[in-house]
Structures are given as C-alpha cells and as structure tokens.
Amino acid sequence: MNTTTKNIFKLALVAGIIFFAASLISKSVDIHQLNIENYSAEKPLFGTDEYQYEAPKELPANDAVATRVKWSLLFFVIILIMVIANAFDISALTSRLTGKQAINSNNVNKWVMLIFMIVGLSAVAWEYSVHGKHVMLGDSASEHGVQLDSMFSITLILTTIVFVITQILLFYFSFRYSKKDGQKALYYAHNNRLEVFWTLIPAIVLTLLVLRGHQTWRSIVYADVDGTKSTNIEIFAFQFGWNARYAGDDGILGVADYKFISGKNKLGLANPAEVDSLLVELIAALIAEEAAVKALPQTIEQLQKDLQAAKDLQDNEAMSSITKELEEINNGDRMDDLEASINRKTKQIERIEAIKKDPKVFATYFTKAEEDDVITQELHLVKDKLVTFKFRSRDIIHSAWLPHFRVQMNVVPGMPTKFTFIPTKTTKEAKAENGETFDYYLYCNKICGTSHYNMKMKVVIETQEEVDAWLKTQQMAFKAMPTPVAVPAVEILPDSATSTKDTTAKKLALK
Amino acid sequence: MSTETLTATHTHHDEHAHHEHHEPSFIFKYVFSTDHKMISKQFLITGIIMGCLGMLMSLLFRIQLAWPDESFGFLETLLGRWAKDGKIDPNYYMALVTIHGTIMVFYVLTAGLSGTFSNLLIPLQVGARDMASPFMNMLSYWFFFLSSVVLLSSFAVETGPASSGWTVYPPLSALQKAMPGSGLGTTLWLVAIILFIVSALLGGINYIVTVLNMRTKGMSMNRLPLTIWAFLLTACLGLLSFPVLLGAGLFLIFDRSFGTSFYLSDIYLNGIGALTNSGGSPIMYQHLFWFLGHPEVYIILLPALGITSEVIATNARKPIFGYSAMVISLLSIAVLSFIVWGHHMFITGMNPFLGTVFMYVTLIIAVPSAVKTFNYLATLWKGNIRFTPAMLFAIGLVSFFISGGLTGIYLGNAALDVQLHDSYFVVAHFHLVMGSAAIFGMFSGIYHWFPKMFGRMMNNTLGSLHFWLTFASAYMVFFPMHFMGLAGVPRRYYQFSLIPEFGIWMNVNIFITVAAMLGGAAQILFLYNFFRSIFKGKPATENPWESNTIEWSTPVKHLHGNWPGAIPTVYRGPHEYSRPDRELDYFPQHEVGNGEPVHYEGPAEVQKTYATDNKESASKVFFSSFAHLFMLRKA
C-alpha cells in the first residue's frame, strides 16, 4: 500500500465510525420527543405566581431517550479516544515495520486537521439547522424587537461568513502546508498593501455595523424621552419575586420610598395612615429592644438556670441550643445586633419625621395618588400600546428580562431605571403559535441570591378591555383599608444623635 | 546605557562564579528562590493546581445543570451538608460558580499564565541575568501563594465561600445577610484579591523595568520577540488597572464592615428592615470593577497571543507575517481596552449616550483583532508546519480567537446586548475567546518551553492526543451554549427544570456536561505527561525546536545567571526562518551574520514577486490563497 491509499483508508475508517456515532446521537437527541413535564419534578420553592408544576405521575417514556443519549455519548467518546489512539499506534507500527522514519505524527495531525474541519463544520451546520430554529424565540413580540432582530440577522450572516472562511483557511493551511522533507517555507515577512487591505475591510464593515447598531440603540432607548406618550407601570423587584403597580384611575403612580416599607405596605407607598402605623410599630420595637438590652444580665442568669435544668434532664438538644445562645450573648454578638437594630430604627424614625415635619417635603411625598394604585402579582399589558416600565428594587440589583419582547433592564436600589416599548403580540396569538402551555415570562437576570433561578413573573398581553376587566378584579392598594389608627404625635429633639439613642428611644416611647 | 547594564550584569555574574561551587540550601533553591526560572516553575505548578480545582468545580456544577432532579450519592460524600441527599445546594452552586470564575480568571490565567511565562521568558529572551529585582519577584510569588490559600480557605467557612458571582457586585456582596456566601466568605474573597493585586503589581513593575532597561546589546525594541511585547503591554495594563480594583475592594470592605455607603442606598432587607445607608451607588462599583475587568480580559489574552505568535513562527518555519502590524495591533488593543469597560454595563441604567460611545470604541477593537487573525493565517500560508503539541495548541488558539471574537461583535453592539446580556451567549463568548483561547496559549507555552524549564522533553504523542480531545471537547461544551443564550436562557441559574420553556435544552445540557467530563479526562493525560516528563522525560537538547530566540542559547542545565559566559549580542529580529540565502531554515538572533540590514526583505526575486509597488500583488496574494484553497491552482 502506498501512503495515499493508506491515508484514504484511515480517513474512511475514522469518518465511518464518527458518522455511525453521530447518527446514533442524532437519532436519540430528538428534541421534539421531549416534554418539559418529565424534567420538572419539583414544585418551585419560592416565587409569587401561581404557576406550579406537578411531578410526573408515571414513569416518563422519554427516560429511555435520555438514557440512550447518555450511553451513545459515552460510546462516542470511547470510540473517539480509541480512534485517535489507534491512528497513532498504526502509524508507529507501520513505521517500525517498514523501517522508515519513526512516528510521523506530523502526517497524522495533518489529516486530523482536515477531518476536524469537515466534522466540525458539519456539526456547526447541524447546530444552525436544528438549534437555529430556537434562535431569538421566533418573531419578536414587540415593535423595537423587529429592528433589533434585523440587526441581529445582519450580524449573524456577516459573522457566519467570516467564521466559515477563516476557519476553513486556518485548517486548510495547516493541512496543506504541513512539513515535508526537503521543503522550505516561503520567506515572506510582510506586505504592506495586503495588511492595509485587511485592516480597511474590517474597519469599513464594522463602521457600517456600528452605524446600524447606533440607530437601533437610539430607537430603543429614546422611544419616549419626555415620558408623556406612554402608560407608566412600576415593576418592583425583591428577593425573590416581582410585583407590578398600576397607576389606577388618576393615571399617576403614587410616591413610594423604601423607608415606608412595612408588613402591610410591601411596596412602601407614601400613604399617611400606613406610614403612621409603621411609626407605631417601629417605636414599639424600639422599646422592646431597649428593654432587651437592659435585661441582658437577667437573660444570662435565666439561661444559666435553664442550662442547669437541661443538664439535669440530660436534654442534649436543649443544652446545645442554650449554650449557643449564651455564647452569642457573651461574645457580644447579641449586643451588637441589638444596638445596630436600635440605630437603624432610630434613623428611620428620624428620617420619616423629617419628611412629615417639612410641609413642602410632605406635599411632594403624600400626594394621595397612591390611593387608587393597584398592586398585582402578574403583569398584564395592552397590545400595541406604548408602555414604560419604571423599575424599583427593594434590596439588591435584579434585572428584568422579557426575552420574547427583547426587553431587559437592571433594577438598581437607589437608582430609578426605565424601559419603554410596545408589545405587539397577545398571549393568545403566541399560544396559537407555540402551544397551549406557552406563557410569556419576566425573568430575573442578575444574580441576586439563593432563589435567583426561580424569580419570575407571568406576563400577559391582551386587549385594552381585557386588561381593564382584569384590573378590576385586583385589589387597590389602600381604598379598601380600614380607618387609620390613632398615632401619637412624635417629635424628635434636634440634637438627638445616635450616641444618645437610649434617651431618644425613651422620648419617642413616652410620647 | 546598555553597555552600562552589560558591565553591571557582568560584575554580577563574576560574583556568581564564586558562589557556584556551593549549592544553595533546599529552602533557598526551591522555596524562597530569587531565581526567575524557579519562580516561574512555582507560578506554573501553583497555577496548574488551581486550574485543576477550578475545573473540578465546573464539573460539579455542570452535573447539577445536566441532571437537576437526580441525586448523586458521591456528591454528599464529597460536599457533606452542601449536597444533602446528593443534590447540590443552590447557595453552594453559586459559590462554585463564583470561585470557579475567580480561580480561572485571576489565579490560572493571570498569575498562572502571565506569571509563569513573563518570569521565565523576559530575562531569557531579552538577555538578562535575572529580573531587575529578584527579591520583589520572590515576594510576588509568595503574595500569590498566600492569596490562593486565603481564597481556598473560604471553603472551610461555615456559611460557605463568596457566592455573588466572580464580579461580586454589591449590594449582594456588601450586605452580609443578603445570602450566606456574603458573610465571612466574601471577606476572605476580598482579602485574597487584595493580596493578589499586591502580587500582580510587584510582578508587573518588575517585568516592565526588566524589559525596558535590561535588554542585551543589539536587542532593540523592534527586535523583541512578540512574547516580550505582549508581556510588556500586559504588565502595563495590570499596573494601570489593578490599583482601581484595589480601591473598589477597599470601598467594599468599608461598606461591609464599617458602615459606609459607597455602594449602598435605599435598601430594605428582608428580616432586617430599612438600612441607614444612603447616597451611594451600586453602579459605581461596576464602573470601578470593569475599569479593571475589561483590561483584565486582555491581561489574560495578550500573553497567550504573544506566546502563539512565537510558537507559530517557529513551527511554521516562517517569519511572523507583519511583525510591526502585530506590535501595533497589540498596542492598540492594549490602549483601547481602557476605554471600553462600559460595554459590560449597557443595561445597568447608565445614560444611553454613554452606551453609544462605548459601542463605538468596543467595535473598533475588532479591527486590530482581525489584523492579528489574518496575520496568523498569512504566517501559516506556504509554511513548512511542524505539528508539535505547542503548534497544535497555537492553531487551536487562533480557531477559538476567531469563534469567540466574532461573537464579541454581537455583544459589543448595545442594541443586541439588550437581548443577549447575561444570557448563555455571553458564557459561550467569553469562555471561547478568553477562557479556552488563553488556556490554549498557556498549554502552547508549556509544551514549547518545557525543555527550557525542566531540561527534558514532553511526550509528543500524548501531547497531540491531549490537544485533540481538549479542542473537540471545548467546542462541544461552548458552541451549543450560543444557541441556548440566543433562545433566552439566562446564565447563573441553578436549575432549568422549573421553567417550561427551557425544557428543550435539557438534553443539550447533558451533552455539554458529558463533553466537559471528556475535557476533564483529557487533562489527566496532560498531568501525567507533565509530571512524568519532569522526572523521566527524554533529555532535551539545547535548541530542540530549532528556534531563533536567544533563550535557546542557554545551557540545558540551569545556571543562576542564565549564561555561563558573556550574554550573547543580538544581531537581528527573532523571525528569520527559512531565509533563502541560508542552508539552515533558522538563523538565531545571536549568530553573527555577514552584515545584512536590520529589515531583511528577502532575496531579489522574492522582493520582485511580492514588492509593494506591484499593483496587483495584494489582491493577487489574497485571492490566490482562495484559489489554493479550492485546489484550483498549484502552490
């Protein structure tokens, strides 16, 4: 056998085995057979929406598919390793037998280069045709998304062309110009004209892309600069969930502030009655904490007594928990926590009082616009109507991502952000395209803690009438509230700094 | 000035001649060594160990992503209460992701890559006896070592290691109660990073001073190997950007522990209540972080590109195509990298006008990157390529650089970033262009300079096998991720089985995990080859790759002071391969020639064929390469 026949034989062998393995995989990796139900065995741990998944009731038929995938992949891997190892062995063996130069790994590598190029590019083509269907989740469901998608398509086509050409050149050159005995490389150090040529071409192409991108970007971010054309909806993010707030009949979102957040007033709206009852709560908590600080020596005594009792009863569980608590008190952690909490609450009361005291500031906060605001767990939007999301975070940075609408914006505590767009496809239309189980969602897309992966809100696009009807079924923030509790008139002395928090708390408490 | 340096090092060497008789004690030879070659080995081996740990972490969280609803007994054995019932805890998943990122970016690809090869190659390739300050060099390694220990020690903390992503964005990282990992774990992370920055600065200053002041006679800047250019620019980048991260880290420490409000404002934390912090901005941290973070990408990539340039030139037996274009593109990438950080922040709520500005400068970077790619291709063209493992990895780097670089054009576009930000597309992009490409540069360097480091050869067959398996598995892992991202799958999600739309990706996730395991298994080949060859490899010759650069003129057995006699003088650039006027296809920099000009343009007939005044030549050469490609013409 001469080298060419040998090489062709090797090539055919390797290609055959790889194709065999590939066909096995492509048979088993049939995404249309798979249903999500089989993979969602657990209920969500967190999340505010009512969408829950049930564990599969019977053994899913597709388990067999999954197992086949696993085994065929493993098989593929083993075959691949064997083929490469054999290729090396064969060449080593033949060279020993023929007495020619020891391993010519250069030739093996050269052929693997070519094979890798062919198999790799076929795999890329397969990816484009199979997974490419899901790219950008079908047509955009928003107006600016159409422009964004066309920008994407242009970039995709350009980069794919460049990708294919450059990768082919790279692997083909490696294959074609591999070492041959007696051959010398071409001494060719530079060619200015050529270099200018391939500097200018990318520069021109990129300039065109940038200009187009600039246009698209402007159309997205400057959709409603002065904020007069669109309906405002507040999107409120917290660990780990979302709320939407609608402006109600007056069309104005009431003022909200993190200082006003309480158990009942989860979004911290500036409602006088709510804020007053929050003050009452805070003062009561302050008194309790002050008392706890004073009572620390007694607490220690009591705990020691309990510990003795637990020892007598040989209750190990109680003993360890009491010891832990004692340790917490003795090393000062408890005291630190209480002091920090007192400090926080004093500051919060001071700040709220400052707002209440100054009539001008008071007027900017308490506008009564919040009374008819509607707070919801789902987001319902009107089709073909400009909407502006006003984002607000309670605790840390979240990011609201609505992939079907090409909408994404970070939600930053202490810094209001917004996004304006027009949804163009109702949920009904989307269901008709994607199946009955389909729903739009808003995901959290900035790492935000333990349950980041399940922080989502259902989004529904409807007609104006449907949204209005739905809003009526949702509760208004304060209209249905009971009459406000009587609040003691609280006054803080101007010199009440943090150092005198004990006395401040007392004064607050007394009044 | 250079003669002064020369005499100074001469006397230094003479002093050494007296000391050479008695070997330094074990501790000063292997532990507190001030010899740059030993320090580079220390960096390399620490880097390899950290790399293995980082890779194992990635395999652990890949298992979780592939089989989210199954339980694996061995996970509970391995991780204890962090994997109750054989399922990784969400907090621990985040911690793994965070520490994997930190280790790979800082400890492997910054210290492991730049630390190893800058230390090894700068003195050897510029012709110096050692670094400008060997003691600082030693400190640099020990700060790095200490930093690694502090970072890993956070796994022993009750609340777990830092888990707010490798970028540790506040407020998540600033509020100790926001998630378990934000407690002591994040404090340790910050301490580790500050130690790391000290190490990086000590090293960087040294590299710059050595390259600028200690070049041997005749080693002008335009005769520097491209590795040295890359290391020099890398060190400059690090020196200018790492202090900013130090500042950001200190502010974060203040916010966490001393009640300041640099990054905090208007926060109500569940279970705590309204915090007193007011007036700070979390976005400020992101600006400070990415002011390091983006140059950091190039701190990682430039050394890999430098190594690749030398390896490709040596093994293609051709001068690197367009030496000055390569230097200029390195330089412009380095400069531009300082003004593009905002492309990480298009959708943070930053002023949209800034988005436009950052989009413009970001896409400009694609031009020098494209020039580099074309120059690599032109270097391969009509070469006489030897597929050493180093060369294979260098070719792999170019392939990754193309694939990952092209997706950068999507992400640098502010409009497209609205959709692609923080999706799997981003994961695929940076793992190809920065992760895989840089790690391939590192492998390439290891295979190429192993004989210089340890005086022995690595096994080529195992090396090739290692390359093909790693190459294939890297593509199998990261290529499908592009499509996941484009279909709206967010990154850093602990499991995808709770969202029905992601169901179609379940078997892709399994595929990726299996491919990652294959890649992991391939590294066993490398580890075996590496550690076995240190002790039992074939003894190396002085210049095994027939290379031009002057490090190959030092004896195989290491000397403190590198050259036994005088430091060689350099007569020409580093890429005089296959010159038609010579019998041998290489021409070492230090070999005395017969007075040829600095820029040898090739013999008259070559100059005639490809002369710049020949109007057709550029397009002819460019298109003739296509003709060759489709075998229409014979070469």
Side-chain angles (χ1 to χ4, degrees):
Chain A
M1 272 202 298
N2 60 20
T3 19
T4 331
T5 2
K6 228 160 54 189
N7 281 332
I8 291 171
F9 174 70
K10 257 187 266 172
L11 183 69
L13 181 80
V14 172
I17 292 172
I18 289 173
F19 268 91
F20 175 64
S23 71
L24 254 181
I25 294 175
S26 60
K27 254 183 218 159
S28 32
V29 187
D30 188 352
I31 48 171
H32 301 294
Q33 289 180 21
L34 294 177
N35 281 319
I36 178 57
E37 277 79 13
N38 303 327
Y39 290 103
S40 52
E42 272 194 21
K43 284 203 295 183
L45 297 168
F46 297 87
T48 47
D49 61 284
E50 281 164 19
Y51 195 98
Q52 286 181 352
Y53 305 95
E54 285 174 12
K57 283 171 192 102
E58 56 196 66
L59 205 90
N62 288 321
D63 249 17
V65 178
T67 327
R68 241 164 63 208
V69 173
K70 279 180 221 164
W71 283 113
S72 59
L73 279 174
L74 190 69
F75 179 68
F76 177 64
V77 167
I78 292 169
I79 291 285
L80 197 75
I81 295 174
M82 273 167 58
V83 165
I84 297 173
N86 272 333
F88 281 111
D89 267 8
I90 290 169
S91 74
L93 216 72
T94 46
S95 69
R96 209 180 303 156
L97 285 175
T98 51
K100 275 187 202 157
Q101 163 204 10
I103 307 177
N104 190 352
S105 66
N106 229 58
N107 266 342
V108 180
N109 277 315
K110 167 182 144 178
W111 282 99
V112 183
M113 279 280 167
L114 196 67
I115 295 164
F116 191 89
M117 180 181 93
I118 294 165
V119 174
L121 285 176
S122 330
V124 168
W126 185 83
E127 282 268 1
Y128 268 67
S129 63
V130 175
H131 290 148
K133 278 184 295 208
H134 308 289
V135 163
M136 296 312 246
L137 303 156
D139 293 338
S140 169
S142 68
E143 204 176 86
H144 74 275
V146 177
Q147 223 178 331
L148 193 150
D149 285 2
S150 89
M151 177 80 238
F152 173 79
S153 306
I154 294 169
T155 316
L156 181 70
I157 291 165
L158 267 174
T159 49
T160 305
I161 292 169
V162 177
F163 173 82
V164 172
I165 290 177
T166 45
Q167 296 281 11
I168 288 180
L169 284 178
L170 176 68
F171 286 100
Y172 176 71
F173 284 172
S174 307
F175 167 76
R176 172 68 183 74
Y177 300 109
S178 76
K179 187 190 167 194
K180 282 184 203 78
D181 289 333
Q183 178 190 285
K184 212 169 182 186
L186 174 72
Y187 184 89
Y188 184 33
H190 68 104
N191 180 327
N192 292 345
R193 195 176 282 267
L194 197 58
E195 282 163 58
V196 168
F197 176 69
W198 64 44
T199 310
L200 283 182
I201 296 287
I204 292 167
V205 173
L206 283 163
T207 310
L208 295 176
L209 277 179
V210 162
L211 288 176
R212 173 94 194 202
H214 178 106
Q215 253 177 8
T216 317
W217 172 246
R218 281 184 64 88
S219 75
I220 294 171
V221 291
Y222 296 126
D224 182 20
V225 185
D226 48 4
T228 48
K229 284 176 281 185
S230 55
T231 323
N232 290 335
I233 297 175
E234 183 181 75
I235 308 287
F236 183 73
F238 56 92
Q239 279 181 324
F240 300 96
W242 300 91
N243 279 131
R245 179 157 66 105
Y246 291 79
D249 296 334
D250 60 359
I252 302 168
L253 286 165
V255 182
D257 193 296
Y258 78 106
K259 293 188 280 287
F260 302 148
I261 293 174
S262 69
K264 267 187 282 174
N265 187 6
K266 282 187 176 138
L267 270 62
L269 301 190
N271 180 275
E274 273 303 311
V275 172
D276 286 344
S277 75
L278 172 65
L279 276 176
V280 174
E281 266 173 46
L282 284 173
I283 291 163
L286 255 186
I287 296 167
E289 276 164 2
E290 291 285 354
V293 171
K294 284 241 180 69
L296 271 182
Q298 287 98 303
T299 320
I300 294 174
E301 260 172 46
Q302 184 58 44
L303 281 173
Q304 275 161 349
K305 269 183 209 160
D306 291 350
L307 187 63
Q308 197 52 49
K311 264 184 194 161
D312 294 342
L313 289 169
Q314 292 192 325
D315 184 350
N316 286 332
E317 218 167 276
M319 259 165 65
S320 71
S321 79
I322 294 167
T323 327
K324 213 174 173 185
E325 214 181 328
L326 266 174
E327 200 182 304
E328 208 182 286
I329 297 172
N330 286 330
N331 66 16
D333 280 0
R334 173 72 63 88
M335 189 69 183
D336 288 350
D337 282 355
L338 283 170
E339 272 186 350
S341 177
I342 290 168
N343 182 19
R344 265 198 308 271
K345 292 197 171 82
T346 321
K347 264 268 168 60
Q348 192 179 357
I349 295 168
E350 275 173 24
R351 285 174 180 170
I352 296 175
E353 284 304 325
I355 291 168
K356 286 179 72 178
K357 236 163 70 179
D358 187 337
K360 266 189 201 156
V361 181
F362 186 91
T364 57
Y365 272 86
F366 299 95
T367 55
K368 294 197 171 166
E370 84 288 352
E371 283 179 355
D372 59 349
D373 286 1
V374 182
I375 297 167
T376 63
Q377 314 282 322
E378 276 182 15
L379 181 60
H380 287 230
L381 302 174
V382 181
K383 187 191 169 184
D384 293 333
K385 203 171 156 197
L386 198 65
V387 60
T388 296
F389 290 152
K390 302 267 185 187
F391 297 104
R392 191 156 63 90
S393 169
R394 188 182 74 182
D395 31 43
I396 58 180
I397 302 179
H398 302 274
S399 182
W401 188 22
L402 297 95
H404 297 92
F405 304 92
R406 324 293 190 243
V407 171
Q408 186 170 195
M409 182 52 73
N410 283 6
V411 188
V412 186
M415 188 180 104
T417 52
K418 59 177 187 163
F419 199 104
T420 307
F421 74 107
I422 306 176
T424 52
K425 204 192 275 178
T426 63
T427 299
K428 261 188 207 142
E429 287 162 5
K431 275 182 196 281
E433 279 174 27
N434 300 303
E436 258 322 290
T437 53
F438 177 85
D439 262 313
Y440 290 129
Y441 276 97
L442 182 158
Y443 304 123
C444 181
N445 199 19
K446 186 62 82 188
I447 182 169
C448 66
T450 314
S451 294
H452 167 57
Y453 64 99
N454 198 25
M455 181 173 156
K456 57 187 189 288
M457 174 160 64
K458 192 171 164 181
V459 180
V460 180
I461 312 294
E462 296 168 321
T463 59
Q464 181 75 59
E465 295 76 42
E466 284 168 322
V467 173
D468 289 342
W470 170 78
L471 270 175
K472 286 215 175 79
T473 66
Q474 303 292 312
Q475 211 178 10
M476 278 190 216
F478 297 107
K479 275 282 170 68
M481 286 276 170
T483 43
V485 268
V487 178
V490 187
E491 225 174 84
I492 299 170
L493 296 178
D495 63 340
S496 59
T498 41
S499 55
T500 58
K501 54 185 172 283
D502 292 2
T503 46
T504 318
K506 251 179 232 159
K507 271 171 207 152
L508 289 169
L510 287 172
K511 284 172 188 170
Chain B
M1 188 197 71
S2 62
T3 43
E4 267 175 31
T5 327
L6 204 65
T7 42
T9 45
H10 254 301
T11 40
H12 180 68
H13 169 71
D14 290 342
E15 279 166 27
H16 253 289
H18 300 292
H19 290 293
E20 262 164 30
H21 300 293
H22 58 90
E23 280 273 292
S25 66
F26 179 84
I27 274 212
F28 285 99
K29 189 172 176 198
Y30 292 106
V31 185
F32 295 110
S33 172
T34 52
D35 182 9
H36 71 100
K37 299 183 289 297
M38 183 55 68
I39 294 172
S40 83
K41 287 187 216 172
Q42 291 173 330
F43 266 111
L44 178 59
I45 290 180
T46 318
I48 287 176
I49 293 170
M50 293 301 272
C52 291
L53 291 174
M55 190 189 68
L56 288 176
M57 286 172 202
S58 71
L59 291 181
L60 285 180
F61 64 70
R62 275 307 327 172
I63 288 176
Q64 162 61 29
L65 287 174
W67 299 286
D69 298 320
E70 282 172 42
S71 70
F72 298 88
F74 76 91
L75 285 180
E76 196 172 1
T77 323
L78 192 68
L79 304 174
R81 73 200 159 82
W82 291 114
K84 267 188 192 138
D85 310 321
K87 198 171 182 262
I88 294 175
D89 178 83
N91 287 314
Y92 201 71
Y93 171 85
M94 293 297 195
L96 286 174
V97 172
T98 303
I99 305 296
H100 164 79
T102 310
I103 284 184
M104 289 307 191
V105 169
F106 291 114
Y107 292 80
V108 180
L109 293 175
T110 303
L113 173 60
S114 181
T116 305
F117 292 104
S118 296
N119 266 310
L120 179 73
L121 295 179
I122 287 178
L124 284 173
Q125 287 194 336
V126 304
R129 300 265 177 217
D130 204 322
M131 281 287 178
S133 168
F135 183 75
M136 256 165 79
N137 213 14
M138 180 191 83
L139 275 187
S140 161
Y141 171 73
W142 285 105
F143 269 105
F144 166 58
F145 181 79
L146 200 64
S147 165
S148 316
V149 171
V150 172
L151 183 79
L152 292 178
S153 71
S154 65
F155 277 95
V157 171
E158 193 185 353
T159 46
S163 38
S164 41
W166 79 278
T167 52
V168 293
Y169 278 179
L172 184 57
S173 61
L175 305 173
Q176 311 227 8
K177 299 271 162 58
M179 73 187 297
S182 295
L184 186 56
T186 302
T187 307
L188 287 172
W189 190 94
L190 286 164
V191 171
I193 286 302
I194 284 171
L195 289 171
F196 185 88
I197 293 169
V198 173
S199 154
L201 294 181
L202 285 171
I205 293 168
N206 229 338
Y207 306 152
I208 294 172
V209 173
T210 311
V211 173
L212 293 183
N213 289 332
M214 295 175 70
R215 279 169 287 133
T216 182
K217 197 177 169 193
M219 183 61 92
S220 54
M221 292 304 270
N222 59 359
R223 284 178 185 171
L224 280 181
L226 284 170
T227 36
I228 302 301
W229 267 110
F231 297 146
L232 174 67
L233 292 170
T234 304
C236 293
L237 288 182
L239 203 60
L240 292 173
S241 63
F242 266 121
V244 179
L245 181 67
L246 184 72
L250 286 178
F251 286 164
L252 189 50
I253 289 178
F254 287 153
D255 270 8
R256 287 169 52 79
S257 307
F258 307 116
T260 56
S261 305
F262 290 108
Y263 306 133
L264 303 174
S265 187
D266 295 20
I267 291 167
Y268 177 97
L269 201 58
N270 207 13
I272 302 268
L275 305 186
T276 52
N277 306 71
S278 156
S281 165
I283 302 303
M284 186 173 92
Y285 174 85
Q286 299 186 14
H287 279 295
L288 292 175
F289 182 87
W290 288 114
F291 190 81
L292 159 90
H294 200 78
E296 172 67 22
V297 171
Y298 292 99
I299 289 173
I300 286 171
L301 196 59
L302 291 188
L305 291 175
I307 287 170
T308 314
S309 305
E310 284 308 309
V311 170
I312 286 187
T314 306
N315 288 297
R317 315 307 292 166
K318 270 188 75 181
I320 196 85
F321 190 83
Y323 175 87
S324 28
M326 290 301 246
V327 173
I328 291 168
S329 56
L330 280 177
L331 206 72
S332 43
I333 288 176
V335 171
L336 284 171
S337 75
F338 274 107
I339 49 170
V340 297
W341 79 89
H343 66 225
H344 299 268
M345 300 169 61
F346 283 139
I347 56 148
T348 50
M350 181 172 80
N351 187 333
F353 174 71
L354 278 180
T356 316
V357 175
F358 282 120
M359 169 167 65
Y360 273 81
V361 282
T362 301
L363 291 191
I364 291 174
I365 284 199
V367 176
S369 310
V371 170
K372 285 198 88 71
T373 308
F374 292 135
N375 282 2
Y376 283 137
L377 293 179
T379 309
L380 292 175
W381 181 68
K382 292 206 168 181
N384 194 25
I385 300 168
R386 302 173 177 177
F387 290 114
T388 62
M391 182 62 173
L392 291 171
F393 275 104
I395 292 172
L397 178 142
V398 178
S399 175
F400 286 143
F401 189 59
I402 295 170
S403 313
L406 285 172
T407 49
I409 295 175
Y410 298 71
L411 294 166
N413 188 325
L416 293 181
D417 193 62
V418 170
Q419 175 72 359
L420 301 177
H421 190 88
D422 269 345
S423 70
Y424 260 80
F425 191 83
V426 178
V427 179
H429 162 72
F430 72 75
H431 273 98
L432 281 181
V433 78
M434 175 179 105
S436 302
I439 210 101
F440 270 42
M442 190 169 165
F443 279 132
S444 176
I446 292 172
Y447 280 105
H448 196 74
W449 281 286
F450 189 87
K452 194 80 271 170
M453 281 182 152
F454 296 100
R456 289 175 185 276
M457 308 293 287
M458 283 175 86
N459 182 319
N460 275 359
T461 311
L462 280 178
S464 305
L465 202 57
H466 171 220
F467 166 75
W468 285 111
L469 289 176
T470 315
F471 192 44
S473 75
Y475 264 126
M476 289 196 288
V477 168
F478 299 120
F479 204 82
M481 283 189 189
H482 292 109
F483 293 88
M484 290 174 71
L486 291 174
V489 180
R491 72 192 274 208
R492 286 168 175 162
Y493 265 32
Y494 162 70
Q495 70 182 57
F496 292 118
S497 50
L498 296 183
I499 293 165
E501 262 218 298
F502 301 155
I504 50 170
W505 299 107
M506 284 320 295
N507 48 15
V508 176
N509 268 323
I510 293 169
F511 176 81
I512 290 174
T513 300
V514 174
M517 286 171 174
L518 165 72
Q523 305 319 306
I524 297 171
L525 287 180
F526 167 74
L527 291 176
Y528 171 76
N529 195 358
F530 181 84
F531 286 107
R532 190 181 178 280
S533 302
I534 290 178
F535 302 105
K536 296 198 168 165
K538 206 174 84 189
T541 54
E542 202 170 86
N543 189 358
W545 315 119
E546 300 176 320
S547 178
N548 282 348
T549 38
I550 58 173
E551 79 270 27
W552 300 106
S553 67
T554 61
V556 176
K557 191 180 180 327
H558 284 173
L559 297 174
H560 200 166
N562 295 339
W563 282 271
I567 298 176
T569 307
V570 165
Y571 298 101
R572 66 191 65 75
H575 300 126
E576 300 293 304
Y577 292 102
S578 302
R579 264 171 60 156
D581 58 341
R582 273 174 65 88
E583 189 78 9
L584 285 172
D585 65 351
Y586 66 112
F587 197 2
Q589 283 186 285
H590 57 276
E591 207 176 292
V592 186
N594 28 17
E596 79 279 0
V598 179
H599 291 294
Y600 177 74
E601 298 268 339
E605 60 266 31
V606 174
Q607 281 183 37
K608 208 174 148 194
T609 321
Y610 300 109
T612 44
D613 56 0
N614 184 345
K615 274 181 188 164
E616 283 176 337
S617 72
S619 49
K620 209 166 89 188
V621 171
F622 188 74
F623 291 110
S624 73
S625 65
F626 284 95
H628 291 307
L629 174 67
F630 298 110
M631 303 184 196
L632 299 173
R633 264 180 54 182
K634 280 215 131 186

